[in-house]
Amino acid sequence: MITRRTLLGSAAALPMLAMPSVLRAQGASGGTLRYVPSSNLTILDPVFTPAAVSITHGYCVFDTLYGVDSDLKPQPQMAAGHTVSDDGLTWEITLRDGLTFHDGEPVRAQDCAASLDRWSQRDAFGQALRAATEAFEAKDDKTVRIRLTRPFGPLLEAIGKPHSSPAMIMPERLASQPIAEQVTEMVGSGPFRFLADEYVSGDRVVYEKFQDYVPRSGPASWTSGGKVVHFDRLIWQIIPDEATKVAAIQAGEVDWISTVLPDLVPIIAAAPGVELFQTDPFGLMTVMRFNHLQPPFNNPEIRRAVMMAVNQLPYLQSITASDDERQECRAMFPCGMPGVEELGSDMMSPPHTLDEARKMLADAGYDGERVVILNPTDIASIHPHGLVTADLLTQLGMNVDLQDTDWGTVVQRRVSKEPVENGGWSIAHTNWPAISIANPATNATTRGIGQGGWWGWFEDAETERLVEAWLSATDPAEQQRLFNEAHQRALEMVPVVPLGQVFRTGAIRSDLQGALHGSVDMFWNVHRT
Protein backbone atom coordinates (compact mmCIF):
# COMPACT_ATOMS: atom_id res chain seq x y z
CA MET A 1 0.00 0.00 0.00
CA ILE A 2 1.24 3.46 -0.82
CA THR A 3 1.91 5.60 2.23
CA ARG A 4 2.98 9.19 2.51
CA ARG A 5 6.20 8.77 4.42
CA THR A 6 7.45 5.29 3.69
CA LEU A 7 8.61 3.33 0.70
CA LEU A 8 6.00 1.44 -1.18
CA GLY A 9 5.57 -2.22 -0.58
CA SER A 10 5.71 -4.85 -3.28
CA ALA A 11 2.77 -5.52 -5.56
CA ALA A 12 1.85 -8.60 -7.47
CA ALA A 13 4.35 -9.40 -10.20
CA LEU A 14 3.53 -7.98 -13.60
CA PRO A 15 5.38 -8.54 -16.87
CA MET A 16 8.32 -6.26 -17.66
CA LEU A 17 7.63 -3.68 -20.31
CA ALA A 18 9.53 -4.04 -23.56
CA MET A 19 12.63 -1.86 -23.86
CA PRO A 20 13.22 0.12 -27.06
CA SER A 21 16.56 -0.69 -28.69
CA VAL A 22 17.63 2.96 -28.56
CA LEU A 23 17.58 2.81 -24.75
CA ARG A 24 19.17 -0.63 -24.51
CA ALA A 25 22.22 0.84 -26.20
CA GLN A 26 22.69 3.46 -23.49
CA GLY A 27 24.62 1.75 -20.72
CA ALA A 28 25.26 3.65 -17.48
CA SER A 29 28.89 3.71 -16.40
CA GLY A 30 29.96 3.51 -12.76
CA GLY A 31 30.80 7.20 -12.75
CA THR A 32 27.48 8.36 -14.21
CA LEU A 33 24.12 8.91 -12.58
CA ARG A 34 21.23 8.73 -15.07
CA TYR A 35 18.01 10.52 -14.19
CA VAL A 36 14.64 11.02 -15.89
CA PRO A 37 12.92 14.33 -14.98
CA SER A 38 9.16 14.77 -15.00
CA SER A 39 9.28 16.99 -18.10
CA ASN A 40 11.64 18.56 -20.59
CA LEU A 41 13.96 21.31 -19.37
CA THR A 42 13.15 24.32 -21.56
CA ILE A 43 13.91 27.26 -19.23
CA LEU A 44 17.38 27.11 -17.68
CA ASP A 45 17.06 30.16 -15.45
CA PRO A 46 15.68 28.96 -12.06
CA VAL A 47 14.88 32.51 -10.93
CA PHE A 48 12.91 33.31 -14.07
CA THR A 49 10.36 30.50 -13.54
CA PRO A 50 8.94 28.52 -10.60
CA ALA A 51 8.78 25.33 -12.73
CA ALA A 52 9.96 22.32 -10.71
CA VAL A 53 12.19 20.96 -13.46
CA SER A 54 14.01 24.31 -13.71
CA ILE A 55 14.43 24.49 -9.92
CA THR A 56 15.86 20.95 -9.85
CA HIS A 57 18.32 21.98 -12.56
CA GLY A 58 19.09 25.16 -10.64
CA TYR A 59 20.19 23.29 -7.54
CA CYS A 60 22.71 21.37 -9.64
CA VAL A 61 24.35 24.54 -10.98
CA PHE A 62 23.76 27.19 -8.33
CA ASP A 63 23.89 27.51 -4.57
CA THR A 64 22.06 29.72 -2.08
CA LEU A 65 23.20 31.80 0.87
CA TYR A 66 20.87 29.83 3.13
CA GLY A 67 19.14 26.50 2.60
CA VAL A 68 16.63 24.56 4.67
CA ASP A 69 16.94 21.29 6.55
CA SER A 70 14.36 18.50 6.55
CA ASP A 71 12.37 20.45 9.18
CA LEU A 72 12.29 23.45 6.80
CA LYS A 73 14.46 25.48 9.17
CA PRO A 74 16.88 27.95 7.50
CA GLN A 75 20.54 26.91 7.73
CA PRO A 76 23.70 28.65 6.43
CA GLN A 77 24.81 27.31 3.05
CA MET A 78 27.11 29.71 1.18
CA ALA A 79 27.00 31.84 4.31
CA ALA A 80 29.28 31.34 7.28
CA GLY A 81 26.74 33.19 9.40
CA HIS A 82 25.06 36.54 9.90
CA THR A 83 24.52 39.40 12.33
CA VAL A 84 21.50 41.66 12.84
CA SER A 85 21.59 45.22 14.20
CA ASP A 86 19.71 46.00 17.42
CA ASP A 87 16.96 47.79 15.51
CA GLY A 88 16.55 44.85 13.13
CA LEU A 89 17.17 47.01 10.08
CA THR A 90 20.66 45.89 9.03
CA TRP A 91 21.59 42.29 8.27
CA GLU A 92 25.18 41.39 7.44
CA ILE A 93 25.85 37.94 5.96
CA THR A 94 29.45 36.70 5.86
CA LEU A 95 30.43 34.33 3.05
CA ARG A 96 32.31 31.18 3.93
CA ASP A 97 35.75 30.52 2.50
CA GLY A 98 36.40 28.56 -0.69
CA LEU A 99 33.39 29.69 -2.77
CA THR A 100 34.22 29.67 -6.49
CA PHE A 101 32.16 30.05 -9.64
CA HIS A 102 32.45 27.51 -12.43
CA ASP A 103 34.40 30.02 -14.55
CA GLY A 104 37.13 30.15 -11.89
CA GLU A 105 36.17 33.51 -10.43
CA PRO A 106 35.71 33.80 -6.65
CA VAL A 107 32.22 34.39 -5.29
CA ARG A 108 32.01 37.94 -3.93
CA ALA A 109 29.43 39.77 -1.89
CA GLN A 110 28.81 41.93 -4.98
CA ASP A 111 27.60 38.83 -6.83
CA CYS A 112 25.29 37.91 -3.97
CA ALA A 113 23.83 41.41 -3.67
CA ALA A 114 23.11 41.59 -7.41
CA SER A 115 21.54 38.12 -7.31
CA LEU A 116 19.29 39.02 -4.38
CA ASP A 117 18.28 42.22 -6.14
CA ARG A 118 17.29 40.32 -9.29
CA TRP A 119 15.50 37.54 -7.41
CA SER A 120 13.53 40.03 -5.31
CA GLN A 121 11.99 41.48 -8.47
CA ARG A 122 10.49 38.16 -9.62
CA ASP A 123 9.63 36.01 -6.62
CA ALA A 124 6.54 36.74 -4.47
CA PHE A 125 8.41 36.33 -1.17
CA GLY A 126 11.30 38.27 -2.65
CA GLN A 127 8.98 41.09 -3.66
CA ALA A 128 7.71 41.28 -0.08
CA LEU A 129 11.31 41.51 1.16
CA ARG A 130 12.15 44.08 -1.52
CA ALA A 131 9.28 46.30 -0.36
CA ALA A 132 10.93 46.43 3.07
CA THR A 133 14.50 46.88 1.72
CA GLU A 134 16.47 50.03 1.08
CA ALA A 135 19.42 48.23 -0.50
CA PHE A 136 21.08 44.89 -1.17
CA GLU A 137 24.77 45.76 -1.18
CA ALA A 138 28.32 44.61 -0.50
CA LYS A 139 30.01 45.91 2.64
CA ASP A 140 33.19 44.29 1.33
CA ASP A 141 34.02 41.27 -0.85
CA LYS A 142 33.06 38.84 1.92
CA THR A 143 30.07 40.59 3.52
CA VAL A 144 26.58 41.02 2.06
CA ARG A 145 24.61 43.81 3.68
CA ILE A 146 20.82 44.11 3.53
CA ARG A 147 19.52 47.48 4.74
CA LEU A 148 15.81 47.40 5.61
CA THR A 149 13.30 50.21 6.03
CA ARG A 150 11.34 48.16 8.57
CA PRO A 151 11.99 44.90 10.43
CA PHE A 152 11.45 41.78 8.33
CA GLY A 153 11.44 38.76 10.64
CA PRO A 154 11.35 35.94 8.06
CA LEU A 155 14.34 37.25 6.07
CA LEU A 156 16.25 33.96 6.26
CA GLU A 157 13.12 32.03 5.29
CA ALA A 158 12.82 34.29 2.24
CA ILE A 159 16.39 34.03 0.94
CA GLY A 160 16.55 30.34 1.90
CA LYS A 161 13.21 29.19 0.44
CA PRO A 162 13.76 25.79 -1.21
CA HIS A 163 11.38 25.94 -4.15
CA SER A 164 9.64 28.09 -6.75
CA SER A 165 12.33 30.63 -7.64
CA PRO A 166 14.82 30.25 -4.77
CA ALA A 167 17.35 33.04 -4.27
CA MET A 168 20.13 31.34 -6.23
CA ILE A 169 23.47 33.13 -6.51
CA MET A 170 25.08 33.83 -9.88
CA PRO A 171 27.89 36.14 -11.03
CA GLU A 172 27.13 39.84 -10.93
CA ARG A 173 27.51 40.13 -14.71
CA LEU A 174 24.62 37.65 -15.15
CA ALA A 175 22.47 38.87 -12.28
CA SER A 176 22.67 42.42 -13.69
CA GLN A 177 20.87 41.46 -16.90
CA PRO A 178 17.38 42.97 -17.40
CA ILE A 179 14.87 41.19 -15.21
CA ALA A 180 12.56 40.54 -18.16
CA GLU A 181 15.27 38.44 -19.85
CA GLN A 182 16.22 34.87 -19.00
CA VAL A 183 19.78 34.13 -18.00
CA THR A 184 20.99 31.46 -20.43
CA GLU A 185 24.69 31.23 -19.52
CA MET A 186 24.76 28.69 -16.72
CA VAL A 187 27.63 29.74 -14.45
CA GLY A 188 27.06 29.09 -10.77
CA SER A 189 28.98 27.91 -7.74
CA GLY A 190 26.97 24.74 -7.12
CA PRO A 191 28.17 21.14 -6.97
CA PHE A 192 27.73 20.46 -10.72
CA ARG A 193 28.86 22.23 -13.90
CA PHE A 194 26.32 22.52 -16.71
CA LEU A 195 27.78 21.23 -20.00
CA ALA A 196 26.19 23.55 -22.54
CA ASP A 197 27.74 21.79 -25.54
CA GLU A 198 26.01 18.51 -24.56
CA TYR A 199 22.60 20.02 -23.79
CA VAL A 200 19.90 19.05 -26.29
CA SER A 201 16.42 20.24 -25.36
CA GLY A 202 13.97 17.36 -25.56
CA ASP A 203 16.76 14.77 -25.43
CA ARG A 204 19.23 15.21 -22.60
CA VAL A 205 20.88 17.53 -20.08
CA VAL A 206 24.44 16.80 -18.95
CA TYR A 207 26.40 17.94 -15.90
CA GLU A 208 29.79 17.08 -14.48
CA LYS A 209 31.03 17.21 -10.92
CA PHE A 210 32.52 20.62 -10.08
CA GLN A 211 35.91 19.65 -8.72
CA ASP A 212 36.47 22.99 -6.97
CA TYR A 213 33.21 22.87 -5.02
CA VAL A 214 33.85 22.92 -1.25
CA PRO A 215 30.96 21.26 0.61
CA ARG A 216 29.99 22.37 4.07
CA SER A 217 30.94 20.07 6.89
CA GLY A 218 28.21 17.90 8.36
CA PRO A 219 25.50 15.75 6.80
CA ALA A 220 23.34 16.89 3.92
CA SER A 221 19.74 17.76 4.76
CA TRP A 222 17.46 18.93 1.97
CA THR A 223 19.05 22.07 0.49
CA SER A 224 21.51 22.57 3.35
CA GLY A 225 24.53 20.78 4.80
CA GLY A 226 27.35 18.97 3.07
CA LYS A 227 26.53 18.61 -0.64
CA VAL A 228 29.02 15.84 -1.46
CA VAL A 229 28.83 14.56 -5.05
CA HIS A 230 29.84 10.93 -5.67
CA PHE A 231 29.42 10.82 -9.47
CA ASP A 232 31.64 12.32 -12.16
CA ARG A 233 28.69 12.90 -14.50
CA LEU A 234 24.96 13.42 -14.16
CA ILE A 235 22.83 12.86 -17.25
CA TRP A 236 19.17 13.75 -17.47
CA GLN A 237 17.49 11.60 -20.11
CA ILE A 238 14.28 13.21 -21.41
CA ILE A 239 11.72 10.43 -21.96
CA PRO A 240 8.20 11.78 -22.56
CA ASP A 241 6.46 8.39 -22.67
CA GLU A 242 5.61 7.14 -19.18
CA ALA A 243 5.75 3.43 -20.02
CA THR A 244 9.17 3.88 -21.62
CA LYS A 245 10.46 5.47 -18.42
CA VAL A 246 9.34 2.42 -16.46
CA ALA A 247 10.93 0.06 -18.97
CA ALA A 248 14.18 2.01 -18.78
CA ILE A 249 14.54 1.75 -15.01
CA GLN A 250 13.49 -1.91 -15.02
CA ALA A 251 16.31 -2.68 -17.45
CA GLY A 252 18.84 -0.60 -15.50
CA GLU A 253 19.29 1.86 -18.37
CA VAL A 254 18.41 4.75 -16.05
CA ASP A 255 18.90 4.99 -12.31
CA TRP A 256 16.20 7.36 -11.14
CA ILE A 257 12.72 8.45 -12.28
CA SER A 258 11.35 11.63 -10.77
CA THR A 259 7.69 10.58 -10.91
CA VAL A 260 5.75 7.42 -11.72
CA LEU A 261 2.15 7.39 -12.91
CA PRO A 262 -0.15 5.69 -10.38
CA ASP A 263 -1.21 3.06 -12.94
CA LEU A 264 2.44 2.03 -13.40
CA VAL A 265 3.36 1.85 -9.71
CA PRO A 266 2.53 -1.88 -9.40
CA ILE A 267 4.85 -2.71 -12.29
CA ILE A 268 7.82 -1.02 -10.65
CA ALA A 269 6.92 -2.35 -7.21
CA ALA A 270 7.24 -5.87 -8.61
CA ALA A 271 10.49 -5.19 -10.49
CA PRO A 272 13.69 -6.55 -8.93
CA GLY A 273 16.37 -4.00 -8.15
CA VAL A 274 14.02 -1.00 -8.09
CA GLU A 275 12.52 0.83 -5.12
CA LEU A 276 9.67 3.31 -4.88
CA PHE A 277 9.71 6.41 -2.72
CA GLN A 278 7.53 9.40 -1.95
CA THR A 279 8.96 12.38 -3.77
CA ASP A 280 7.86 15.11 -1.36
CA PRO A 281 6.47 14.41 2.11
CA PHE A 282 4.49 17.66 2.04
CA GLY A 283 2.85 16.93 -1.30
CA LEU A 284 1.57 19.14 -4.09
CA MET A 285 -1.40 21.46 -4.00
CA THR A 286 -3.31 21.54 -7.27
CA VAL A 287 -5.32 24.60 -8.30
CA MET A 288 -7.63 26.04 -10.95
CA ARG A 289 -6.30 29.49 -11.92
CA PHE A 290 -8.50 32.23 -13.37
CA ASN A 291 -7.54 35.02 -15.74
CA HIS A 292 -8.56 38.04 -13.65
CA LEU A 293 -8.05 40.56 -16.45
CA GLN A 294 -10.76 39.30 -18.81
CA PRO A 295 -14.47 38.46 -18.54
CA PRO A 296 -16.06 36.50 -17.08
CA PHE A 297 -13.57 35.87 -14.26
CA ASN A 298 -12.75 39.51 -13.63
CA ASN A 299 -15.97 39.27 -11.60
CA PRO A 300 -15.31 37.81 -8.10
CA GLU A 301 -18.95 36.73 -7.74
CA ILE A 302 -18.59 34.49 -10.80
CA ARG A 303 -15.36 33.07 -9.36
CA ARG A 304 -17.18 32.31 -6.10
CA ALA A 305 -19.95 30.53 -8.00
CA VAL A 306 -17.41 28.23 -9.67
CA MET A 307 -15.70 27.50 -6.35
CA MET A 308 -19.06 26.66 -4.78
CA ALA A 309 -19.64 24.05 -7.49
CA VAL A 310 -16.25 22.35 -7.19
CA ASN A 311 -16.05 18.97 -5.48
CA GLN A 312 -12.36 18.15 -5.02
CA LEU A 313 -12.72 14.37 -5.01
CA PRO A 314 -13.25 13.87 -8.78
CA TYR A 315 -10.19 16.00 -9.47
CA LEU A 316 -8.05 14.01 -7.04
CA GLN A 317 -9.33 10.64 -8.25
CA SER A 318 -8.51 11.55 -11.84
CA ILE A 319 -4.74 11.66 -11.12
CA THR A 320 -4.26 9.26 -8.18
CA ALA A 321 -4.82 5.56 -7.59
CA SER A 322 -5.55 5.33 -3.86
CA ASP A 323 -6.66 7.33 -0.85
CA ASP A 324 -3.08 7.41 0.45
CA GLU A 325 -2.01 9.45 -2.56
CA ARG A 326 -4.55 12.24 -2.09
CA GLN A 327 -6.02 14.54 0.49
CA GLU A 328 -9.03 16.80 0.20
CA CYS A 329 -8.11 20.26 1.49
CA ARG A 330 -10.70 23.03 1.28
CA ALA A 331 -8.24 25.80 1.97
CA MET A 332 -6.21 28.33 0.00
CA PHE A 333 -3.05 27.13 1.76
CA PRO A 334 -1.80 23.53 1.96
CA CYS A 335 -3.31 21.53 4.80
CA GLY A 336 -0.78 20.20 7.28
CA MET A 337 1.56 23.19 7.01
CA PRO A 338 2.18 25.40 10.08
CA GLY A 339 -0.62 27.87 10.74
CA VAL A 340 -2.96 26.51 8.06
CA GLU A 341 -6.57 25.98 9.08
CA GLU A 342 -9.14 24.50 6.70
CA LEU A 343 -11.28 27.62 6.55
CA GLY A 344 -13.06 26.88 3.28
CA SER A 345 -14.93 23.75 4.31
CA ASP A 346 -18.38 25.36 3.97
CA MET A 347 -17.65 27.19 0.71
CA MET A 348 -17.33 24.28 -1.74
CA SER A 349 -19.29 21.20 -2.80
CA PRO A 350 -20.34 19.34 -0.75
CA PRO A 351 -22.38 20.63 1.07
CA HIS A 352 -23.33 23.00 -1.77
CA THR A 353 -25.17 21.78 -4.88
CA LEU A 354 -24.97 22.63 -8.56
CA ASP A 355 -28.35 24.32 -8.34
CA GLU A 356 -27.02 26.71 -5.69
CA ALA A 357 -23.98 27.43 -7.85
CA ARG A 358 -26.16 28.02 -10.93
CA LYS A 359 -28.24 30.55 -9.00
CA MET A 360 -25.14 32.38 -7.75
CA LEU A 361 -23.77 32.43 -11.31
CA ALA A 362 -26.99 33.93 -12.67
CA ASP A 363 -27.17 36.49 -9.84
CA ALA A 364 -23.56 37.46 -10.61
CA GLY A 365 -24.57 38.46 -14.12
CA TYR A 366 -22.89 35.77 -16.22
CA ASP A 367 -23.90 36.54 -19.80
CA GLY A 368 -22.64 33.62 -21.85
CA GLU A 369 -19.03 34.77 -22.20
CA ARG A 370 -16.76 32.13 -23.73
CA VAL A 371 -14.57 30.33 -21.19
CA VAL A 372 -11.32 29.10 -22.75
CA ILE A 373 -9.66 26.32 -20.75
CA LEU A 374 -6.01 25.66 -21.61
CA ASN A 375 -5.43 21.92 -21.18
CA PRO A 376 -2.04 20.21 -21.64
CA THR A 377 -2.28 16.73 -23.12
CA ASP A 378 1.27 15.72 -22.16
CA ILE A 379 1.18 16.37 -18.39
CA ALA A 380 -0.60 13.41 -16.79
CA SER A 381 -1.04 15.19 -13.44
CA ILE A 382 -2.83 18.17 -15.02
CA HIS A 383 -4.61 17.01 -18.21
CA PRO A 384 -7.58 15.28 -16.47
CA HIS A 385 -8.38 18.45 -14.55
CA GLY A 386 -9.21 20.34 -17.72
CA LEU A 387 -11.70 17.62 -18.61
CA VAL A 388 -13.32 17.68 -15.16
CA THR A 389 -13.57 21.48 -15.17
CA ALA A 390 -15.00 21.59 -18.69
CA ASP A 391 -17.73 19.13 -17.70
CA LEU A 392 -18.49 20.99 -14.47
CA LEU A 393 -18.77 24.41 -16.10
CA THR A 394 -20.91 22.97 -18.88
CA GLN A 395 -23.30 21.65 -16.22
CA LEU A 396 -23.36 25.14 -14.73
CA GLY A 397 -24.49 26.49 -18.11
CA MET A 398 -21.26 28.24 -19.09
CA ASN A 399 -20.02 28.58 -22.67
CA VAL A 400 -16.96 26.29 -22.49
CA ASP A 401 -14.13 26.04 -25.04
CA LEU A 402 -11.69 23.29 -23.97
CA GLN A 403 -8.44 23.69 -25.92
CA ASP A 404 -6.13 20.66 -25.78
CA THR A 405 -2.48 21.37 -26.55
CA ASP A 406 1.01 20.47 -25.38
CA TRP A 407 2.45 21.85 -22.14
CA GLY A 408 4.91 24.13 -23.91
CA THR A 409 2.07 25.87 -25.70
CA VAL A 410 0.13 26.24 -22.45
CA VAL A 411 3.15 27.88 -20.82
CA GLN A 412 3.45 30.32 -23.72
CA ARG A 413 -0.26 31.14 -23.96
CA ARG A 414 -0.99 31.57 -20.27
CA VAL A 415 1.18 34.71 -20.15
CA SER A 416 -1.08 36.36 -22.75
CA LYS A 417 -3.25 39.17 -21.37
CA GLU A 418 -5.36 39.37 -24.53
CA PRO A 419 -9.10 38.58 -24.63
CA VAL A 420 -10.06 35.06 -25.69
CA GLU A 421 -10.98 36.37 -29.15
CA ASN A 422 -7.32 37.31 -29.64
CA GLY A 423 -5.76 34.10 -28.37
CA GLY A 424 -6.22 34.72 -24.65
CA TRP A 425 -7.52 32.31 -22.03
CA SER A 426 -9.86 32.04 -19.04
CA ILE A 427 -8.75 29.05 -16.93
CA ALA A 428 -5.59 26.96 -16.59
CA HIS A 429 -4.69 24.29 -14.05
CA THR A 430 -1.38 23.63 -12.35
CA ASN A 431 0.13 22.39 -9.10
CA TRP A 432 2.55 23.82 -6.56
CA PRO A 433 4.79 22.14 -3.98
CA ALA A 434 3.06 22.68 -0.65
CA ILE A 435 6.17 24.14 0.96
CA SER A 436 6.38 26.89 -1.67
CA ILE A 437 2.91 28.34 -0.98
CA ALA A 438 2.65 27.71 2.75
CA ASN A 439 2.17 31.27 4.07
CA PRO A 440 0.66 34.60 2.96
CA ALA A 441 3.96 35.96 1.62
CA THR A 442 5.11 32.92 -0.38
CA ASN A 443 1.74 31.89 -1.78
CA ALA A 444 1.90 33.27 -5.31
CA THR A 445 -1.57 31.84 -6.00
CA THR A 446 -3.20 34.20 -3.48
CA ARG A 447 -0.94 37.27 -3.63
CA GLY A 448 -2.67 40.37 -5.00
CA ILE A 449 0.30 41.83 -6.86
CA GLY A 450 -1.56 42.22 -10.15
CA GLN A 451 0.45 42.85 -13.31
CA GLY A 452 3.75 42.10 -11.52
CA GLY A 453 2.54 38.85 -10.00
CA TRP A 454 1.79 35.30 -11.10
CA TRP A 455 0.01 34.75 -14.40
CA GLY A 456 -3.72 35.33 -13.97
CA TRP A 457 -2.79 38.73 -12.52
CA PHE A 458 -5.01 38.83 -9.42
CA GLU A 459 -4.79 42.30 -7.92
CA ASP A 460 -6.02 43.18 -4.44
CA ALA A 461 -4.63 45.93 -2.21
CA GLU A 462 -6.24 44.48 0.92
CA THR A 463 -4.47 41.15 0.38
CA GLU A 464 -1.14 42.93 0.09
CA ARG A 465 -1.87 44.99 3.21
CA LEU A 466 -2.49 41.81 5.18
CA VAL A 467 0.70 40.23 3.81
CA GLU A 468 2.73 43.23 4.95
CA ALA A 469 1.08 43.16 8.39
CA TRP A 470 1.76 39.43 8.76
CA LEU A 471 5.40 39.92 7.82
CA SER A 472 5.80 42.70 10.39
CA ALA A 473 4.07 40.91 13.27
CA THR A 474 6.29 39.46 16.00
CA ASP A 475 3.72 38.04 18.43
CA PRO A 476 2.76 34.44 17.46
CA ALA A 477 -0.91 34.98 18.32
CA GLU A 478 -1.02 38.13 16.19
CA GLN A 479 0.75 36.33 13.36
CA GLN A 480 -1.88 33.57 13.40
CA ARG A 481 -4.73 36.11 13.48
CA LEU A 482 -3.32 37.91 10.46
CA PHE A 483 -2.66 34.60 8.67
CA ASN A 484 -6.33 33.68 9.10
CA GLU A 485 -7.44 37.14 7.92
CA ALA A 486 -5.32 36.77 4.77
CA HIS A 487 -6.76 33.29 4.29
CA GLN A 488 -10.35 34.54 4.65
CA ARG A 489 -9.65 37.32 2.16
CA ALA A 490 -8.41 34.77 -0.38
CA LEU A 491 -11.55 32.67 0.11
CA GLU A 492 -13.65 35.78 -0.44
CA MET A 493 -11.80 36.95 -3.56
CA VAL A 494 -11.08 33.48 -5.07
CA PRO A 495 -7.82 34.08 -6.96
CA VAL A 496 -7.76 30.29 -7.52
CA VAL A 497 -9.96 27.33 -6.68
CA PRO A 498 -8.08 24.76 -4.54
CA LEU A 499 -8.47 21.22 -5.86
CA GLY A 500 -6.76 19.29 -3.04
CA GLN A 501 -3.32 17.83 -2.36
CA VAL A 502 -1.55 14.88 -3.97
CA PHE A 503 1.50 12.87 -2.96
CA ARG A 504 3.61 11.62 -5.84
CA THR A 505 5.80 8.56 -6.19
CA GLY A 506 9.27 8.25 -7.73
CA ALA A 507 11.51 5.28 -8.45
CA ILE A 508 15.21 4.62 -7.94
CA ARG A 509 17.54 1.69 -8.49
CA SER A 510 18.12 -0.14 -5.20
CA ASP A 511 21.91 -0.05 -5.56
CA LEU A 512 21.77 3.71 -5.01
CA GLN A 513 21.95 4.79 -1.41
CA GLY A 514 21.70 8.16 0.36
CA ALA A 515 19.26 9.86 -2.03
CA LEU A 516 17.51 12.84 -0.44
CA HIS A 517 13.85 13.21 -1.34
CA GLY A 518 12.33 16.66 -0.92
CA SER A 519 10.42 19.24 -2.91
CA VAL A 520 12.97 18.68 -5.69
CA ASP A 521 15.30 15.77 -6.44
CA MET A 522 18.82 16.36 -5.11
CA PHE A 523 21.85 14.62 -6.57
CA TRP A 524 24.39 15.13 -3.81
CA ASN A 525 24.86 12.53 -1.05
CA VAL A 526 23.64 9.69 -3.31
CA HIS A 527 26.17 6.95 -4.11
CA ARG A 528 26.20 3.53 -5.73
CA THR A 529 26.84 0.53 -3.52
Side-chain angles (χ1 to χ4, degrees), residues 187-404:
V187 177
S189 63
F192 292 93
R193 290 180 61 248
F194 175 75
L195 301 184
D197 59 342
E198 296 191 49
Y199 167 59
V200 181
S201 180
D203 182 25
R204 69 178 194 164
V205 189
V206 184
Y207 311 84
E208 69 177 8
K209 179 179 179 178
F210 180 37
Q211 298 295 339
D212 291 333
Y213 182 76
V214 180
R216 295 190 69 89
S217 60
S221 182
W222 276 47
T223 60
S224 67
K227 298 181 179 180
V228 178
V229 172
H230 297 282
F231 290 90
D232 294 331
R233 283 168 64 88
L234 167 64
I235 297 178
W236 291 17
Q237 185 69 52
I238 311 302
I239 305 177
D241 182 72
E242 299 295 332
T244 304
K245 294 180 185 179
V246 172
I249 198 167
Q250 283 180 299
E253 302 296 338
V254 300
D255 300 300
W256 190 336
I257 298 178
S258 63
T259 56
V260 180
L261 284 183
D263 291 348
L264 298 176
V265 163
I267 297 176
I268 294 188
V274 184
E275 297 178 356
L276 293 160
F277 62 89
Q278 186 183 79
T279 59
D280 182 348
F282 300 101
L284 296 171
M285 184 173 179
T286 184
V287 298
M288 177 197 304
R289 179 64 162 181
F290 298 110
N291 184 337
H292 294 255
L293 298 182
Q294 303 294 341
F297 297 118
N298 57 348
N299 182 340
E301 290 290 335
I302 291 178
R303 301 196 299 266
R304 281 195 281 274
V306 172
M307 184 170 72
M308 176 185 284
V310 166
N311 181 347
Q312 292 183 347
L313 191 56
Y315 286 92
L316 295 172
Q317 289 175 330
S318 72
I319 59 172
T320 59
S322 73
D323 290 342
D324 288 323
E325 294 177 292
R326 55 184 176 252
Q327 174 179 321
E328 293 182 69
C329 176
R330 294 175 178 85
M332 289 290 183
F333 296 85
C335 293
M337 301 302 291
V340 176
E341 300 178 13
E342 198 170 0
L343 301 180
S345 296
D346 61 348
M347 303 181 74
M348 302 176 69
S349 175
H352 295 288
T353 65
L354 283 178
D355 284 341
E356 290 177 280
R358 289 188 191 101
K359 183 179 185 307
M360 178 179 279
L361 187 64
D363 291 345
Y366 175 68
D367 194 28
E369 295 94 342
R370 185 156 61 105
V371 174
V372 172
I373 303 173
L374 301 181
N375 195 38
T377 58
D378 53 348
I379 302 291
S381 62
I382 299 177
H383 173 66
H385 290 172
L387 306 178
V388 176
T389 294
D391 179 65
L392 177 66
L393 299 191
T394 299
Q395 292 184 62
L396 287 179
M398 301 189 84
N399 177 15
V400 176
D401 181 3
L402 179 68
Q403 297 190 6
D404 287 334

Side-chain angles (χ1 to χ4, degrees), residues 400-452:
V400 176
D401 181 3
L402 179 68
Q403 297 190 6
D404 287 334
T405 184
D406 63 280
W407 177 245
T409 301
V410 170
V411 170
Q412 292 172 2
R413 284 191 57 189
R414 71 187 184 187
V415 299
S416 171
K417 298 175 182 177
E418 294 292 323
V420 295
E421 293 79 12
N422 296 335
W425 59 281
S426 310
I427 285 176
H429 302 82
T430 192
N431 49 56
W432 283 77
I435 63 170
S436 69
I437 55 171
N439 65 54
T442 62
N443 194 340
T445 75
T446 60
R447 291 291 301 273
I449 300 172
Q451 299 279 350

